[in-house]
Amino acid sequence: QKEVEQDPGPLSVPEGAIVSLNCTYSNSAFQYFMWYRQYSRKGPELLMYTYSSGNKEDGRFTAQVDKSSKYISLFIRDSQPSDSATYLCAMNTGFQKLVFGTGTRLLVSP
Amino acid sequence: EPEVTQTPSHQVTQMGQEVILRCVPISNHLYFYWYRQILGQKVEFLVSFYNNEISEKSEIFDDQFSVERPDGSNFTLKIRSTKLEDSAMYFCASSDQVNEQFFGPGTRLTVL
């Protein structure tokens, strides 16, 4: 079983839709959860950072962590064509190494 | 806004040659990292560096790889004898807290 699993997509939605992106993980020691956005051939850009279970909101983005189910989500409200990118989940135990999912490619059409 | 920078953006080299990838982390950050991403694959951890020494490394980071912080601003990754399979995007990252890691734009390494 992979440590972090993420559907590679692509996920295609119309502009204005609510987008739901998800990851599951197997290592119950993971405590810190991050979402990055990556445009083609660019570096990952940190969007959201959460610790343990619960929700965190930042503008149009909401991150959810359910540690009991080992499941994390990123919601994007009012999606825009500029949100078209690959979204990476990443996590660690509180030490330094980040473990990444494969990324979900999101396409938002005008 | 402070950002991580990397040079060069693209490096082409012949198999067996040495390459040095350079990074300037965010100035007040204390933790530095290298990751790589082979085309179409996930981002993979290589090494972390703190207080002038390696704090963690992956099994990818073998004797062909080394890291150095030669001065107060640069952080380098050296590959001594490149192989075809070293072709990838290499990302430098830095953090002041342990877990908010900020990534640079990457260096695309092509080994011929």
Side-chain angles (χ1 to χ4, degrees):
Chain A
Q1 184 181 10
K2 290 181 183 176
E3 231 177 341
V4 179
E5 303 222 35
Q6 188 175 8
D7 187 332
L11 176 62
S12 296
V13 300
E15 183 176 354
I18 297 174
V19 174
S20 173
L21 303 164
N22 311 293
C23 287
T24 59
Y25 61 95
S26 58
N27 186 348
S28 57
F30 286 141
Q31 295 281 339
Y32 300 87
F33 305 93
M34 279 134 277
W35 286 95
Y36 287 85
R37 178 173 62 195
Q38 186 177 32
Y39 294 109
S40 182
R41 294 188 179 268
K42 302 293 184 186
E45 173 193 0
L46 181 63
L47 288 176
M48 299 290 284
Y49 163 73
T50 52
Y51 168 69
S52 197
S53 287
N55 292 2
K56 182 176 181 179
E57 188 174 320
D58 184 0
R60 295 185 296 115
F61 299 95
T62 300
Q64 280 187 354
V65 175
D66 181 350
K67 290 193 68 185
S68 63
S69 301
K70 297 193 185 69
Y71 188 89
I72 68 170
S73 301
L74 177 71
F75 297 95
I76 307 174
R77 288 183 298 282
D78 188 25
S79 56
Q80 302 295 311
S82 57
D83 294 328
S84 297
T86 297
Y87 289 79
L88 313 174
C89 63
M91 52 199 77
N92 66 14
T93 62
F95 299 99
Q96 298 168 13
K97 178 181 81 171
L98 281 176
V99 180
F100 281 84
T102 53
T104 298
R105 188 169 165 226
L106 172 66
L107 302 171
V108 182
S109 55
Chain B
E1 186 172 322
E3 59 184 16
V4 177
T5 60
Q6 290 184 244
T7 54
S9 57
H10 188 196
Q11 174 89 52
V12 181
T13 190
Q14 295 291 325
M15 190 169 55
Q17 295 297 304
E18 175 182 286
V19 294
I20 297 176
L21 310 183
R22 292 183 165 79
C23 168
V24 178
I26 295 172
S27 62
N28 62 340
H29 285 187
L30 300 176
Y31 299 86
F32 314 113
Y33 318 84
W34 285 100
Y35 293 83
R36 80 172 185 190
Q37 186 176 32
I38 295 170
L39 188 64
Q41 297 187 24
K42 66 179 183 177
V43 176
E44 299 176 290
F45 170 78
L46 292 177
V47 66
S48 58
F49 192 86
Y50 171 72
N51 200 25
N52 284 319
E53 62 182 25
I54 290 173
S55 49
E56 189 176 6
K57 60 182 181 179
S58 72
E59 55 191 32
I60 301 169
F61 194 88
D62 62 21
D63 291 344
Q64 293 302 311
F65 291 87
S66 62
V67 289
E68 193 177 34
R69 187 154 163 81
D71 53 44
S73 59
N74 291 284
F75 180 49
T76 62
L77 174 69
K78 182 193 290 186
I79 309 174
R80 286 190 187 79
S81 178
T82 50
K83 307 183 189 73
L84 294 176
E85 55 265 36
D86 292 328
S87 295
M89 286 288 287
Y90 287 80
F91 295 110
C92 173
S94 71
S95 67
D96 56 357
Q97 300 169 49
V98 174
N99 292 303
E100 285 192 319
Q101 295 185 24
F102 295 91
F103 283 71
T107 293
R108 182 155 64 107
L109 177 64
T110 301
V111 183
L112 302 175

